[in-house]
Amino acid sequence: MNRLTTALLAALEALIVVAIGVGVSLVPLTILWATQYGLAVDWLVFWRASVTVWLLGNGVDLAVQLDPTVVAALGLPGAEAPFSLTIALLGFAVLALFLGRHTGRRAADSPHRWTGVLTAIPVYGLLATMLTLTVGTDALQPSIPQGVLLPTAVFAAGVFIGARHRTESPEHPVAGQAPHLQGAPAHPAPGRPATGRPAWLRALPALPALPRLPRLPEVPAEWRSVLAGALRAGFGAATGTVGVAALAVFVLILGNFATIIGLYETVQAGVMGGITLTIAQLALIPNLVIWAAAWFVWPGIAVGIGSSVSPVGTVLGPVPGLPLLGVLPHGSLAFGFLGLLVPVLIGYLTAFATRQRQHRAGEPGADRGRLALTGALAGVVAGIVLGLLAWWSGGALGPGRLVDVGPNPLLVGAFAALEVGVAAVLGMLTPPIRRRGATSGATAPAAAPPARTGKR
């Protein structure tokens, strides 16, 4: 596969990823346009709605100015003034990240990895720019800088994650082939030396040598071990907390399924309207998972100004008419404070596992001061990760009191850093488990020669 083919395939994959992201909401809206509206309404209205939802799902802010008739029909206080929608439906971002990772893996499996990577990302950015510039109306206008940068950044993150993948099999055209044979013919063409550089290029005068930059001081092995352990334990604690939160959301949906169905019946959206509403709520599930993680950390979330959902108790006012929000707890929970144990236990276990790994690998830096510092830095890493997720999952969901929906990222980050940090320090200071019978080769006694028995 040559470079042109790799670039064309990467551009096609970028186009397909954008089409899937927009089509998730466009397909049911198109069916709704044909069945409920009898093709009487301009289809571009549904196209703009789908692209707008896709942009919102990638974190792009929307400026909204509702028509007076729509304001009267909704009856929302404050809807007559311009307001912003800033909450991201993270399901679309997760989908773009996953598909971008697949694109990166395909580029890594080709002979020209970086050609595919550096083609897919600009093409995706160009498509995002075109969509952002063409869907704005007087009633709904996306932020153009965010529409250009944020969807591209989400896709690029997935592509770079996937591009690190490379098949290790000997049959692979890149990994299993000698470097001088990758994409090069067995015998050089006439006029081209064995190095692959043409004669006219070799005849050009050489450029002057650039001055060497001073070498940065090398980080000692002890401090590299501290930083690596902190990153490993911190990311592990954040990932484990989010995993437990995902399990909790799943259990809540099963336990409150009757309530969710009752709210669906109250909305009376019809078949296609119910399908469209379900897709929107599926895109909101990653937000709910992060909100559940914020609940475990302790600050909880707000569903409007003056509301609070935390282990201490739940105070709710009018909430958006989404059936999925029926999983929110009501009143005070007798054992809600036990949720605080989730990040604490996970922080301790991940730090202890990190300490065990360092011990088995024989890494330096085993004194108690550096171990405690590793645990404290792990808490900082977990706080930063969970704080960023909390910031990404919240925002404004409408006018009036709905301008504050989701967790407070600063509180979530601070509480997570404190809880995970204290637990991680204890986990790092816990003595590692030594395998029974493990002795070093230097101190192991030499085996005695077998005794001769019997006759020759």
Side-chain angles (χ1 to χ4, degrees):
M1 186 186 304
N2 56 27
R3 294 183 184 274
L4 179 61
T5 304
T6 302
L8 290 177
L9 289 177
L12 178 61
E13 285 205 38
L15 175 62
I16 292 174
V17 173
V18 173
I20 292 175
V22 176
V24 166
S25 56
L26 182 60
V27 170
L29 287 180
T30 302
I31 298 175
L32 183 67
W33 168 68
T35 57
Q36 298 291 331
Y37 294 94
L39 311 181
V41 183
D42 189 2
W43 180 77
L44 290 179
V45 174
F46 298 91
W47 161 257
R48 292 192 184 99
S50 300
V51 175
T52 302
V53 170
W54 177 74
L55 291 174
L56 185 65
N58 283 274
V60 179
D61 296 344
L62 304 176
V64 184
Q65 174 64 71
L66 297 180
D67 188 80
T69 57
V70 178
V71 173
L74 292 177
L76 290 175
E80 65 279 357
F83 62 92
S84 298
L85 291 177
T86 61
I87 190 168
L89 305 177
L90 293 183
F92 289 93
V94 172
L95 178 64
L97 190 69
F98 174 78
L99 295 177
R101 178 176 176 270
H102 178 73
T103 301
R105 289 173 65 94
R106 287 180 61 88
D109 288 336
S110 69
H112 311 287
R113 170 171 54 174
W114 295 113
T115 299
V117 169
L118 298 179
T119 301
I121 296 175
V123 169
Y124 192 94
L126 178 62
L127 294 173
T129 303
M130 293 172 57
L131 293 178
T132 303
L133 295 175
T134 55
V135 299
T137 62
D138 294 336
L140 201 63
Q141 182 65 46
S143 171
I144 294 178
Q146 292 182 2
V148 174
L149 297 176
L150 292 183
T152 308
V154 173
F155 178 73
V159 171
F160 281 116
I161 292 173
R164 298 182 58 187
H165 162 77
R166 186 178 293 273
T167 307
E168 300 294 340
S169 61
E171 293 82 7
H172 192 271
V174 177
Q177 196 174 14
H180 66 279
L181 296 178
Q182 295 175 12
H187 302 284
R192 183 182 294 269
T195 59
R197 298 173 59 193
W200 63 269
L201 183 59
R202 300 176 65 230
L204 294 176
L207 294 176
L210 296 175
R212 289 189 176 184
L213 296 176
R215 294 185 60 182
L216 296 176
E218 187 175 353
V219 180
E222 294 84 357
W223 294 109
R224 287 202 307 268
S225 176
V226 169
L227 295 177
L231 290 174
R232 189 179 298 120
F235 275 105
T239 304
T241 303
V242 173
V244 174
L247 180 61
V249 170
F250 176 74
V251 173
L252 285 174
I253 292 176
L254 290 182
N256 296 276
F257 192 73
T259 303
I260 296 174
I261 296 300
L263 293 175
Y264 263 107
E265 295 174 352
T266 303
V267 174
Q268 295 181 353
V271 177
M272 291 309 305
I275 294 175
T276 305
L277 184 61
T278 301
I279 292 176
Q281 293 181 108
L282 289 176
L284 195 62
I285 284 181
N287 299 66
L288 287 180
V289 171
I290 298 174
W291 295 355
W295 190 92
F296 282 123
V297 172
W298 196 261
I301 64 170
V303 191
I305 296 176
S307 64
S308 175
V309 181
S310 69
V312 177
T314 300
V315 179
L316 289 176
V319 297
L322 293 175
L324 190 60
L325 295 182
V327 303
L328 295 177
H330 299 278
S332 299
L333 300 178
F335 300 98
F337 64 92
L338 293 179
L340 183 63
L341 296 178
V342 171
V344 173
L345 290 177
I346 293 177
Y348 176 83
L349 292 176
T350 53
F352 179 73
T354 301
R355 176 72 182 97
Q356 190 75 17
R357 176 173 178 172
Q358 290 179 347
H359 173 72
R360 291 182 178 177
E363 295 183 11
D367 60 280
R368 299 179 68 85
R370 289 197 179 97
L371 292 177
L373 179 60
T374 302
L377 291 178
V380 174
V381 172
I384 292 175
V385 172
L386 291 175
L388 289 176
L389 290 177
W391 168 76
W392 202 18
S393 68
L397 193 57
R401 62 186 303 273
L402 295 180
V403 297
D404 183 16
V405 176
N408 185 318
L410 295 179
L411 288 179
V412 171
F415 273 79
L418 177 62
E419 296 161 6
V420 175
V422 172
V425 169
L426 296 177
M428 293 298 298
L429 294 178
T430 303
I433 300 175
R434 301 179 183 274
R435 289 178 293 180
R436 183 177 300 176
T439 56
S440 62
T443 59
R452 295 182 179 180
T453 58
K455 298 180 180 180
R456 289 186 178 181

